[in-house]
């Protein structure tokens, strides 16, 4: 009996031990899951709206991406925008049973446990859902015990993700969240950075390479370890073969193909319209932070807070046309790179202290150079105005007795004495400098900081803007030759003397007020205006024309404008209240007359004051829009990441000129490029003297003038300021108004001769190249026709047959501009 009881007890014990052995792991797991589910896990709302930093995207009018503003270069895309082989590669490599499990793959987990026990690991056990959980809620530094609990937390999160999202959504979230390195966060950025493609355009081998990076992007970095990445890609393709996503034939044909990288660095300095994007960034920051009288943000998110341009995934719609922007940038590079900078370099070598003109003394040059050195990055680093490592500005720098510490990157820089700083600034070192003649326009050289300042002073700058005069949309914006080396924008931020590009406003005002008639003839004589000189007396300003004697011949008003004759412009501005009339008129054209440097004086007729390219283009646009000024716009609207419009631009419009005046001025400006014969004056060959400062645009295209050969009607105006410091050209067609400025950073760095430095030679060719490029682009619908004549004008306004010009003797303004006609005899 006792033996029987003992057997029963033994049997019961064995059963209990067996159950304990079986249930203990389950109880352990249950216990750990209970510990893991401690209230710190993200709730349903957080899981449904995970916090992700999204880049704000800038879009052109033709829906091309111009650039992004971001802390992380990420733009989410939908599952439908992913190629099938990319998804298959991810599943085959990272989670073969992804479509079968609910967040945790027990078979894979068992394989991991067995590998740990036997020491023969055959891969990880984390599912795509678990990896997504890790990406959405990153781990901190944990102890081994905390790491175990964290693993279980990720199990719970992944299971909850599976409950709240479809498998397709989880795939898309994972690929959108993953960091592929090299500023490529998410599959959209990765496709652009590594292959210059949209994700949907990725082929099989490209998809396999990107998925191969998911195991360890630092180890499988295609820029640093292409051989390792090549082998890893083969593993991905093998997994796709194993899981029957591809055939052996496809596998064999693809595995030996090169990586085929087309790397495009994700950098705000790269890409189209960098000057425009930087101006836009500043204005967007101001716009998004603006508040109303109650102290509330004018543009607020659902929480009432300001949108963050760098993390909120805004879509910014602009008026810039990517095709026209490309043509504009190419036009500047073509003229500068092939001709003008080489000419300028030769020009500068003839000065005593190149590149500065002989107008300056050695002391003045030293002052300019030393000021520029103090503004350089290396100098700011040495004196603690910028971090020596990350180049963050002074607000991040903490100063101590020993040196400077950057609060952003924790870099310490020891203080230097003045002697040490001077020695560093004067010492030659290796550097890259801008040069049109080298790949990517950079060359390696050995220079000191002082040498580099002088070198860059000799590089020509440019500003160019093109806009639609009928709706004010800015279509192209080139703020300089190369944004990496020249950050200062010369479209809107920089201002320079506008010279004769201002004259059409003088003529238009006089026409509008009946002070002149377009068929008037004015004697080509000296005209003087009495202007204040000091408190006690006045002086006479008598502007003349460059290199020509007065002929005394009656000269048509239209010829005077076409040939940019300063004396005849002076004869107009001195009449009656013309100075104030012109001043008031330009205020209606968007020019800020509250500027203390812009005052109503007679010399304004010759463009003695500084304006921006943005100012002069937008003001001139009214001529091409029937006299109506429309405020220029380049930001159309802003949408949040859900597509809701949070900002819509508004524009002012006003009638400044009557349409008859506007058309007449266009007809007169067309003579600048078409040419016009003087009614009485002859050249040396006894032929009628032809005027027109931009008629070379009509000449035959040649090796010397490859930009020429344009036949379409163009209303134009050249401008050249004193000493050839600035060259301008304004070109108007029915659909576009375009302005170009060319000059050096300092006005004392200039061309020696008028023939080389006039706007006809410096700025006009850029406009001509641009015009030829857009005309050849079949995707653009830009008119090459003529301006529409108002129905109220019965005969062409420059048809002066039968008109008798009244006697017209007047007197002047200050000669700030020196123009040269295309006809050298003039």
């Amino acid at each position: 009996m006792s033996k029987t009881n003992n057997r029963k007890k033994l049997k019961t014990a064995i059963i209990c031990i067996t159950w304990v052995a079986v249930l203990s792991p389950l109880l352990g797991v249950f216990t750990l899951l209970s510990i893991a589910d401690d209230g710190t896990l993200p709730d349903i709302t957080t899981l449904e709206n995970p916090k992700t930093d999204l880049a704000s995207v800038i879009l052109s009018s033709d829906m091309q991406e111009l650039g992004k503003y971001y802390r992380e270069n990420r733009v989410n895309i939908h599952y439908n925008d992913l190629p099938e082989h990319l998804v298959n590669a991810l599943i085959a490599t990272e989670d073969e049973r992804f479509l079968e499990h609910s967040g945790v793959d027990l078979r894979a987990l068992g394989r991991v446990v067995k590998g740990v026990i036997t020491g023969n690991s055959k891969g990880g056990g984390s599912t795509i859902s678990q990896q997504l959980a890790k990406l959405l809620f990153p781990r901190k530094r944990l102890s081994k015990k905390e790491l175990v609990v964290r693993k279980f937390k990720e199990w719970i999160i992944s299971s909850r993700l599976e409950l709240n999202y479809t498998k397709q959504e989880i795939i898309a979230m994972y690929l959108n969240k993953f960091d592929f390195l090299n500023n490529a966060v998410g599959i959209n950025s990765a496709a652009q950075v590594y292959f210059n493609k949209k994700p949907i355009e990725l082929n099989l081998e490209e998809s396999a390479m990107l998925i191969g990076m998911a195991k360890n992007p630092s180890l499988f970095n295609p820029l640093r370890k292409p051989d390792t990445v090549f082998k890893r890609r083969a593993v991905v393709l093998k997994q796709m073969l194993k899981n029957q996503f591809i055939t052996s034939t496809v596998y064999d044909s693809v595995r030996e193909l090169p990586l085929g990288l087309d790397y495009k660095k994700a950098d705000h300095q790269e890409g189209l319209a960098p000057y425009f994007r930087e101006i836009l960034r500043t204005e967007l920051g101001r716009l998004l932070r603006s508040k109303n009288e109650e102290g509330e943000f004018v543009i607020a998110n659902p929480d009432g807070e300001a949108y963050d341009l760098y993390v909120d995934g805004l879509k910014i719609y602009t008026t810039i046309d990517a095709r026209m922007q490309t043509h504009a940038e190419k036009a500047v590079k073509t003229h500068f790179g092939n001709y003008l900078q080489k000419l300028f370099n030769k020009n500068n070598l003839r000065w005593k202290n190149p590149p500065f003109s002989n107008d300056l003394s050695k002391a003045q040059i030293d002052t300019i150079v030393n000021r520029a050195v103090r503004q350089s990055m290396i100098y700011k680093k040495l004196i603690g105005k910028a971090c020596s490592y990350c180049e963050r500005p002074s607000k991040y720098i903490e100063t101590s007795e020993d040196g400077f510490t950057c609060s952003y990157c924790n870099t310490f820089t020891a203080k230097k004495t003045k002697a040490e700083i001077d020695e560093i600034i004067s010492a030659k070192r290796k550097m890259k400098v801008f040069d049109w003649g080298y790949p990517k326009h950079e060359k390696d050289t050995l220079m000191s900081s002082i040498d580099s300042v002088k070198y860059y002073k000799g590089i020509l700058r440019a500003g160019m803007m093109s806009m639609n005069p009928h709706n004010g949309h800015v279509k192209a914006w080139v703020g300089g030759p190369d944004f990496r080396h020249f950050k200062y924008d010369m479209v809107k931020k920089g201002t320079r003397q506008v010279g004769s590009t201002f004259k059409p406003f003088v003529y238009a005002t006089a026409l509008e007020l009946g002070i002149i008639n377009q068929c008037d003839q004015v004697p080509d004589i000296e005209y003087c205006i009495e202007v204040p000189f000091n408190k006690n007396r006045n002086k006479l300003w008598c502007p003349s024309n460059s290199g020509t004697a007065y002929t005394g011949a009656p000269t048509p008003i239209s010829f005077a404008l076409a040939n940019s004759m300063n004396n005849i412009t002076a004869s107009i501005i001195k009449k009656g209240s013309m100075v104030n009339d012109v001043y008031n008129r330009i205020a209606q054209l968007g020019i800020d007359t509250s500027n203390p440097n812009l005052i109503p004086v007679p010399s304004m007729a010759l463009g003695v004051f500084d304006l921006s390219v943005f100012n002069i283009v937008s003001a001139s646009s009214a001529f091409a829009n029937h006299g109506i000024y429309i405020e220029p716009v380049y930001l159309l609207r802003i949408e949040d990441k859900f597509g809701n419009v949070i900002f819509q631009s508004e524009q002012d419009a006003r009638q400044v000129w009557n349409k008859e005046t506007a058309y007449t001025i266009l007809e007169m400006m067309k003579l600048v490029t078409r040419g016009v014969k003087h009614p009485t004056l002859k050249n040396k060959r006894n032929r009628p003297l032809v005027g027109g400062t931009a008629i070379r645009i009509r000449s035959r295209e040649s090796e010397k003038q490859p930009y020429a050969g344009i036949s379409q009607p163009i209303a134009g105006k050249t401008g050249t300021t004193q000493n050839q410091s600035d060259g301008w050209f304004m070109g108007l067609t029915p659909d576009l108004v375009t302005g170009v400025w060319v000059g050096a950073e300092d006005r004392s760095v200039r061309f020696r001769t008028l023939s080389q430095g006039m706007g006809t030679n410096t700025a006009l060719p850029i406009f001509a190249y641009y015009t030829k490029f857009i005309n050849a682009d079949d995707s653009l619908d830009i008119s090459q026709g003529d301006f529409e004549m108002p129905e109220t004008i019965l005969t062409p306004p420059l048809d002066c047959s039968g008109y008798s010009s009244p006697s017209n003797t007047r007197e002047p303004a200050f000669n700030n501009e020196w123009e040269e006609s295309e006809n050298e005899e003039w």
Side-chain angles (χ1 to χ4, degrees), residues 15 23 26 99 142 161 163 223 298 305 344 428 490 499 510 515 523 605-606 616 625 640 670 690 697 730:
I15 292 171
L23 295 176
L26 297 176
L99 300 176
L142 303 171
L161 287 171
L163 289 173
L223 300 185
V298 176
E305 299 298 323
F344 197 51
K428 292 184 181 294
M490 287 303 297
I515 290 173
L606 305 182
I616 201 72
N625 190 36
D640 65 16
K670 280 162 60 177
V690 176
I697 201 174
M730 288 297 306

Side-chain angles (χ1 to χ4, degrees), residues 237-383:
L237 292 169
K238 189 70 174 178
Q239 284 296 112
M240 295 183 74
L241 175 63
K242 173 188 170 185
N243 287 274
Q244 300 181 351
F245 288 124
I246 60 175
T247 64
S248 57
T249 303
V250 172
Y251 171 74
D252 291 335
S253 65
V254 170
R255 65 175 178 171
E256 296 300 328
L257 292 175
L259 295 180
L261 295 176
D262 184 9
Y263 178 64
K264 291 292 181 289
K265 185 178 180 182
D267 187 339
H268 72 282
Q269 299 186 102
E270 304 291 335
L272 276 179
Y275 291 94
F276 168 75
R277 286 185 277 119
E278 183 59 21
I279 290 291
L280 181 64
R281 182 188 67 81
T282 302
E283 296 195 12
L284 285 169
R286 190 183 305 118
L287 178 66
L288 296 175
R289 290 191 302 269
S290 61
K291 295 182 179 181
N292 57 25
E293 295 180 355
E294 288 74 33
E296 301 170 331
F297 289 106
V298 176
I299 304 174
N301 64 23
D303 297 327
E305 299 298 323
Y307 283 96
D308 190 325
L309 182 63
Y310 304 99
V311 302
D312 283 340
L314 306 178
K315 282 191 175 181
I316 302 155
Y317 294 87
T318 72
T319 62
I320 297 294
D321 187 291
R323 297 160 297 181
M324 297 171 71
Q325 179 68 31
T326 299
H327 299 321
E329 293 181 9
K330 182 181 177 183
V332 172
K333 292 176 181 177
T334 301
H335 186 47
F336 276 16
N338 294 346
Y339 168 73
L340 197 62
Q341 186 61 52
K342 296 175 185 176
L343 183 68
F344 197 51
N345 292 343
K346 292 179 181 178
N347 168 89
N348 292 339
L349 292 176
R350 299 178 64 185
W351 300 120
K352 294 178 182 178
N353 296 290
F356 300 96
S357 68
N358 296 342
D359 304 333
L360 299 184
S361 66
K362 180 69 165 57
Q364 290 173 316
I365 293 172
D366 289 342
T367 299
I368 293 172
V369 172
N370 289 334
R371 185 188 302 121
V373 168
R374 289 194 297 272
Q375 294 173 347
S376 67
M377 181 56 68
I378 186 172
Y379 188 83
K380 289 178 181 179
K381 290 178 179 180
L382 291 171
I383 65 172

Side-chain angles (χ1 to χ4, degrees), residues 776-806:
D777 190 336
D778 293 335
S779 68
L780 291 169
D781 184 20
I782 304 298
S783 172
Q784 297 182 41
D786 205 346
F787 298 95
E788 181 182 357
M789 187 169 71
E791 67 284 353
T792 52
I793 298 180
L794 302 181
T795 58
L798 298 187
D799 180 1
C800 298
S801 55
Y803 179 80
S804 178
S805 178

